[in-house]
Every structure is written in structure tokens, then in C-alpha cells.
Amino acid sequence: MISVEEALEKVLSYVEVLEPERKPILDCLGQVLAEDVYSDIDIPPLDNSAMDGYALRAKDTRGASESSPRYVVVVGEVAAGSMPTKEVRPGTAIRIMTGAPLPEGADAVVRFEDTDEVNRKSSGGDLSQIGILCQAKKGLNVRGRGEDIAKGDLILKKGKVLRPQEIGVLASLGRSTALVIRRPIVAILATGDELMGVDQPLAPGKIHDSNTYSIAAEVSRYGGIPKILGIGRDSVRSLTEKIDKGLDADMLITSGGVSKGDYDIVKDVLAEHGEVGFWTVCMKPGKPLAFGVIKKVEGGRKGKVPHLGLPGNPVSSMITFEQFARPAILKMMGKKILAKPAIRAIIEDDVVNTDGRRLFARVSVTKRGGRYHASVTGPQGSGILTSMARANGLVVIPESSKGVKAGDMVEVQMLDWGEEQGEVKTVPIVSIVGKSQSGKTVLMEQLIAEFKRRGYKVAALKHSRGGMEIDHPGKDSWRYAQAGSDAVLISSPDKLAFIKSLDHDLDIEELLPIVGPEFDLVLVEGFRKSKIPKIEVHKKELGDDLLCSPEELSAIVTDGSLDTGIPQLPWGDTVTVADFIEKNFVLKG
Ligand code: AMP
Ligand code: MG
């Protein structure tokens, strides 16, 4: 049995980033840009008005106010899309609309609301002159030429995933097409004598083929183009015939025919036409998985089509698709972020993991009181597709775990969240752990000072099991709390303090958003149970055993030497410890 990671690595080693194609920008949504895009224009192309108002010389408004207007002679009007025909001379103004080019001579725009135009209009007054009711600074309500994009600038870099805003930027540059990595064509074949098409009435013993549809929809969701091959029967001839029709695709996905009973058919077909790898993957559902390449000859050239054989059970095929086919499709599309975003949530049911495989449990995730909660979506049989329909996440329980109890924190892959969501900048974080008296706080102090010396913006976090008191009796914050407020925030020009009553001990994941994203490094003392990288401080005199098990640790800082395989750093040599943190957590991102 191989691990999920090993299986994924193999699958990914079989697929390549596809070649680029040029196409209309509107068809490029979600695709990866294959060219650097420079601008050959300024945007905006000219200085122009950000408001409807009067373009004038700021000088002419000196001292203007509601009670003492400054009067200017209106010499013309300019609308968006046309060029001003007159120049603004001292003592004059041109009526101007948003987006219209600023006339020669003008250096500011005063909004209609800051003139007496409305009054004049309602009283049928003379509009050839206008009173300005406020003093304007040079540049007021003027959008400068090239303020958004300057001619010659690199605007979009190769590798960028195109979202609606990038499509808009391309349009503003006057590009009607873009060069993008093309979408993969994924051929989909269901196998099984029991399967019937969705539009056929069910004969006894038969079921509708649902995998073709769930898989094709997944392929589309991730940017591929599904090519439906239909239903292959459980015979070598039928399968061969169908597979032949899919050989012009970039990948072939079959479902069914890989569990023990009928696996031989898919294997025979693939062995005859290519190379087949067949693995049992250490996961549940989805243990059997076939993978290989099918050879083809096209126009005299030999080629290979990667093939992924998913298990037939509808839930298994979707979950294995998510773990293996989805990243393969994303890789072919040139995407760099292949992992589904994962969150930490509180599980609301007990989940047992009986046979030492990685368990993917279908859950419905909700957010309540600032925390995520995951509840299992009913019976978890791998044929119960509605349990998948009720789910928006998969709880991942490691193979080493016997299961979780209601109330535990678990990791959840969010099925409906885009991969790019995982790209949000995360601040590097390291926790210093150790037995009491091991010198954690001293090391924290030394590291903070060392990283400050290196020019880092450092945040330090400490967990205090015994509670704490920082709002002192008599202070305003204390009085607010006495009056019953659940949170008090005191801000001053140079400091911020936030005191909030809690009903549970916060996880590090809940604390980090409070700390904020502006730090280069977060150093944590304690939080031994969290999943963040940990360095344990060890002192000879406290014995040879460690507080954490070695697999939880990235390194040990010790004044002795221990018999473990993890890196050991010398106590007292802060530079070496800081180098280690820098190299392993900061520079890596
Ligand atoms: P298999 O892997 O072929 O042994 O199939 C395992 C289970 O999944 C069987 O109960 C099949 O009936 C079911 N199954 C296989 N293919 C499909 C499909 N395309 N749609 C719905 N159920 C399927
Ligand atoms: Mg079958």
C-alpha cells in the first residue's frame, strides 16, 4: 500500500504542463497566462476629471467659501469622450464631466456641489458666470495621465491565473486576445455491465451511470474540457473500443473495474495498450487506484495518454478525483497551487478510523462564533452519493490516528474553495517548546533580539495557562469591563491593547488573525499541542527525554547531545538557531 502523497507524486510525474494557445480574453477565465503583458499606452491616456464640476485654475479659488464666493466666467463645456476646444485662462472655467480630459490651463476641478450652479439654475439665473464656494488645491479631483498604468510597464506576469479583474485589465490595455496554457481535454469512461444512461429507463438489476456526470462536472470545474466516452461494458473488446476513442485526449479517466472482482479487465486492456500501475492507496474511501499510460500512434508519431483508473463507487470516485485527478488537471493547466485549502474545525461527531488508512469523512462545515464546526453528513458508505451532496468539506484523519472525538480540532479540505485561496500570504511561525526550567523564555528573548537585528518585524505570542491580569482597577478599561463589556480595545497613537473575555482557550489559528498579517515572523512560546513547527529547548540536567515526540519537532536546542535523527542546535548560539529558523521557515515562506 502506498501513501496518498506517494500516489499523488506519481500521478503528477506522468503529466506535463500543456502548450500555450492564443484566444479571446473572455474565454481565458481561470487559465494561466503564458506571456508577460506590457502596456503600450498610458491609462488614463490624459489628465482627466474625477467629478462632474468646473475645471479651473486652483489659484482663482483662493479664499473662496460659502459666504464669500469667487466668481469665474464659464467659457465652455467638455463631456467624456470629447476633447476640450478651449483653454482655461485666469478667471475662467470650463464645465466638465467625469472622465473628460482636463482642458489646457486648468489644474483642478471643483464639484458642482461646491459651486452656486444649482441655486442659479433654480432661480433661472445667469450661467455664464459661476460662484466657487470652496478653495481648491492644485490637482483636486484630477486623475493624472498614466496614474493606473504607465506606458512600458510590465502589467501582468507570465504564470498569473486570469480572474475577472485581469481580464478587465487586458481589455483596458486594448488586448482582445491572450496567450494562455490551454485547457486539458479529459476523456471520461464509465465501466460496468450494470450501468445505463441517464435517459434510459432502468431495467432490473441496473443503475444509472452517475460517475460520468460527477467526474465530467469536476473536470469542468477545474478548467478541463470533458470528453464523454460513454459506458464501457465489462469485456476487453468493449473497453478497448471505447478507450480508442479517447486517445486524442490529454488524460483518460475511467471509473469502476478496479476493485478485486473485475479489476482484471481494466488491467488486461491497459497491459495490452500501455503500461499499467495498479496501487492500493492508503486511503478510505478509494483504496484501489489504477494508474499508467496508454500508448497510441498518431500520424505516424508515438504518444502516450496518462490514464487514471478511479474506483467505481460514486463517493470513492469523487474523492479520488479530488486527491489525484484535480491536481493533475491543474498541473497541466500550468497552475502552481495544487492543494485544496484546508482549515481547522471543531468536529461535532466521533469519527473512528479502524484500519490505519487516511480517512476522508464527508462533512458539512459551518462558521459559528468565529470558529468552524464540521458535522458528518450521515452514513459514510462509499456508495452513498447524497452524503457527498450534503458535504462542503472532507475531514482528513491521518492513518496514524484511531479517530477523533466530538470537540476535537480536525483538518478539513474545503471542497468548494478555490486553490488560490491557499495563496493568501501566511506569516512564518515557529513555536519554542520545552519542559519548565528549560529556558524557553530566555531563548525567546535572544531570538527576538537577533531577528530585530536582522531587520525583521517580529511578533511574540505567549500562552499563559494560569490566566492573566492586565487591566488594573480604576483604569477606564477596567471600568468598562466591570460594567459588563465583553471586549475592550484601547488604542493610542503608538500602542494597541485588546482585552476580550473568552469562553474557551483559543487555538493558535484563532490567535493569528488577531496578531495580524504585517509581521515577518511570529515566535510563539508554548502551544505544544498546535500543529505549527516546533523547536524544543532541552537541558541535560532535566534528563534525556523530551517533552514532544521527535516527529513533532523541527529541531532541538540543547546543551548536550541526544540520540535522535532531528537537527540539534547548540544552546547559547542564538545566531545558529536564528539561521536555522530563517532557512527553514522564513525564506521558504
Ligand atoms: P466497481 O469498481 O466496478 O467494482 O464498482 C463498484 C461499485 O460502484 C458498484 O456497486 C458499481 O455498481 C458502482 N459503480 C461503478 N461505476 C459506476 C457509475 N459509473 N455510476 C454509478 N455507480 C457506479
Ligand atoms: Mg464494475
Side-chain angles (χ1 to χ4, degrees):
M1 210 148 48
I2 65 173
S3 71
V4 173
E5 284 76 17
E6 284 172 286
L8 176 60
E9 199 179 309
K10 282 198 187 179
V11 170
L12 292 178
S13 76
Y14 275 87
V15 297
E16 297 297 337
V17 178
L18 300 175
E19 64 285 2
E21 61 179 349
R22 182 165 291 284
K23 57 199 264 202
I25 52 174
L26 211 45
D27 298 338
C28 295
L29 186 63
Q31 284 178 268
V32 173
L33 196 62
E35 59 180 344
D36 284 335
V37 175
Y38 291 86
S39 177
D40 47 20
I41 53 172
D42 284 321
I43 300 178
L46 296 167
D47 290 350
N48 69 92
S49 179
M51 289 285 173
D52 295 333
Y54 285 90
L56 40 63
R57 294 171 180 249
K59 260 189 193 162
D60 290 343
T61 68
R62 196 169 293 156
S65 72
E66 202 114 354
S67 55
S68 87
R70 293 287 175 272
Y71 293 95
V72 286
V73 177
V74 181
V75 296
E77 184 172 289
V78 58
S82 46
M83 289 300 288
T85 51
K86 292 209 177 83
E87 162 183 0
V88 170
R89 297 227 168 88
T92 71
I94 288 178
R95 208 166 178 264
I96 191 166
M97 305 307 141
T98 305
L102 199 70
E104 197 73 31
D107 57 16
V109 172
V110 173
R111 310 179 300 166
F112 289 150
E113 299 91 307
D114 297 324
T115 70
D116 63 6
E117 189 194 88
V118 181
N119 286 346
R120 279 172 191 259
K121 272 189 175 159
S122 58
S123 61
D126 173 21
L127 289 169
S128 67
Q129 203 191 33
I130 215 85
I132 305 296
L133 309 179
C134 74
Q135 188 168 310
K137 275 200 185 123
K138 239 182 171 172
L140 179 72
N141 297 324
V142 175
R143 302 192 284 216
R145 164 180 177 167
E147 168 184 295
D148 181 3
I149 287 172
K151 187 171 168 175
D153 279 359
L154 174 58
I155 307 300
L156 296 172
K157 271 198 189 145
K158 204 169 164 168
K160 178 89 202 159
V161 179
L162 299 179
R163 301 168 301 164
Q165 44 271 61
E166 279 80 28
I167 307 255
V169 167
L170 286 166
S172 73
L173 295 174
R175 307 278 183 126
S176 60
T177 64
L179 191 71
V180 289
I181 307 289
R182 75 173 172 86
R183 301 177 185 281
I185 297 170
V186 180
I188 299 163
L189 176 65
T191 72
D193 284 343
E194 73 281 29
L195 302 177
M196 297 192 76
V198 276
D199 44 6
Q200 290 173 299
L202 284 181
K206 307 282 184 184
I207 57 170
H208 290 302
D209 160 27
S210 62
N211 289 352
T212 291
Y213 295 88
S214 52
I215 293 169
E218 291 258 36
V219 167
S220 306
R221 171 184 249 191
Y222 294 110
I225 301 167
K227 174 175 178 169
I228 293 173
L229 302 179
I231 300 169
R233 297 303 167 197
D234 290 326
S235 75
V236 171
R237 220 187 90 203
S238 167
L239 282 188
T240 312
E241 237 175 61
K242 295 280 183 185
I243 285 176
D244 276 347
K245 295 205 168 64
L247 293 184
D248 55 353
D250 299 298
M251 179 155 107
L252 167 69
I253 296 181
T254 57
S255 75
V258 288
S259 49
K260 290 228 170 64
D262 45 15
Y263 159 62
D264 279 352
I265 297 204
V266 171
K267 191 184 78 177
D268 287 350
V269 173
L270 293 174
E272 197 177 310
H273 294 268
E275 304 153 16
V276 60
F278 176 68
W279 319 314
T280 44
V281 182
C282 187
M283 66 187 284
K284 185 183 178 176
K287 187 159 78 168
L289 191 74
F291 193 75
V293 289
I294 302 175
K295 292 182 188 140
K296 61 171 177 182
V297 181
E298 206 174 40
R301 286 219 332 264
K302 282 186 183 162
K304 285 176 177 176
V305 187
H307 165 246
L308 188 55
L310 307 179
N313 270 312
V315 173
S316 313
S317 73
M318 285 199 79
I319 290 179
T320 46
F321 181 98
E322 277 292 336
Q323 307 309 316
F324 307 113
R326 181 189 55 79
I329 290 172
L330 295 178
K331 178 177 175 185
M332 285 191 274
M333 292 186 65
K335 301 217 174 167
K336 293 283 183 300
I337 306 167
L338 307 182
K340 264 283 169 205
I343 56 160
R344 305 270 297 159
I346 303 163
I347 186 93
E348 301 198 312
D349 312 88
D350 292 354
V351 181
V352 288
N353 191 13
T354 43
D355 47 5
R357 287 186 271 157
R358 188 169 310 176
L359 182 67
F360 293 87
R362 285 135 265 167
V363 291
S364 156
V365 176
T366 50
K367 194 173 187 183
R368 298 197 300 274
R371 313 183 91 191
Y372 290 107
H373 296 257
S375 67
V376 174
T377 60
Q380 297 284 296
S382 50
I384 301 178
L385 192 52
T386 52
S387 68
M388 198 66 192
R390 281 189 293 270
N392 61 352
L394 296 176
V395 163
V396 187
I397 297 180
E399 36 276 62
S400 59
S401 161
K402 294 261 176 287
V404 290
K405 290 254 169 294
D408 286 352
M409 289 301 282
V410 291
E411 183 188 302
V412 187
Q413 280 181 8
M414 296 303 286
L415 290 170
D416 302 327
W417 290 12
E419 286 68 21
E420 275 76 29
Q421 229 156 323
E423 198 190 22
V424 175
K425 182 194 163 209
T426 53
V427 182
I429 178 167
V430 183
S431 167
I432 306 296
V433 296
K435 294 186 199 162
S436 91
Q437 300 304 316
S438 59
K440 299 185 288 270
T441 309
V442 176
L443 181 62
M444 282 287 286
E445 279 176 321
Q446 293 171 346
L447 285 173
I448 292 167
E450 177 61 24
F451 278 108
K452 285 309 287 180
R453 234 187 320 278
R454 296 183 188 196
Y456 282 81
K457 199 165 173 188
V458 180
L461 252 77
K462 157 89 192 170
H463 185 247
S464 168
R465 202 169 295 150
M468 61 177 159
E469 216 46 71
I470 58 166
D471 42 348
H472 302 290
K475 291 280 182 197
D476 290 357
S477 61
W478 180 85
R479 291 169 59 185
Y480 298 158
Q482 290 299 303
S485 129
D486 292 311
V488 179
L489 190 146
I490 321 160
S491 90
S492 71
D494 64 341
K495 257 188 215 126
L496 178 74
F498 185 41
I499 309 162
K500 181 175 166 183
S501 339
L502 296 176
D503 58 0
H504 65 276
D505 211 356
L506 296 186
D507 293 306
I508 196 80
E509 288 82 3
E510 294 170 281
L511 290 169
L512 288 178
I514 302 175
V515 174
E518 76 262 36
F519 297 94
D520 303 312
L521 176 64
V522 178
L523 290 171
V524 178
E525 183 178 336
F527 290 96
R528 181 162 72 87
K529 298 238 163 68
S530 77
K531 278 184 120 187
I532 54 178
K534 285 185 258 314
I535 294 178
E536 177 157 349
V537 190
H538 168 260
K539 279 241 173 86
K540 253 189 322 215
E541 62 189 60
L542 299 174
D544 270 356
D545 55 322
L546 292 165
L547 185 68
C548 295
S549 58
E551 59 271 18
E552 291 178 274
L553 295 173
S554 304
I556 304 169
V557 173
T558 175
D559 60 354
S561 86
L562 291 164
D563 186 20
T564 82
I566 29 178
Q568 298 188 30
L569 308 166
W571 225 127
D573 185 353
T574 316
V575 171
T576 303
V577 181
D579 284 347
F580 180 87
I581 292 176
E582 202 166 49
K583 179 159 164 275
N584 288 281
F585 306 111
V586 185
L587 303 179
K588 255 191 190 169

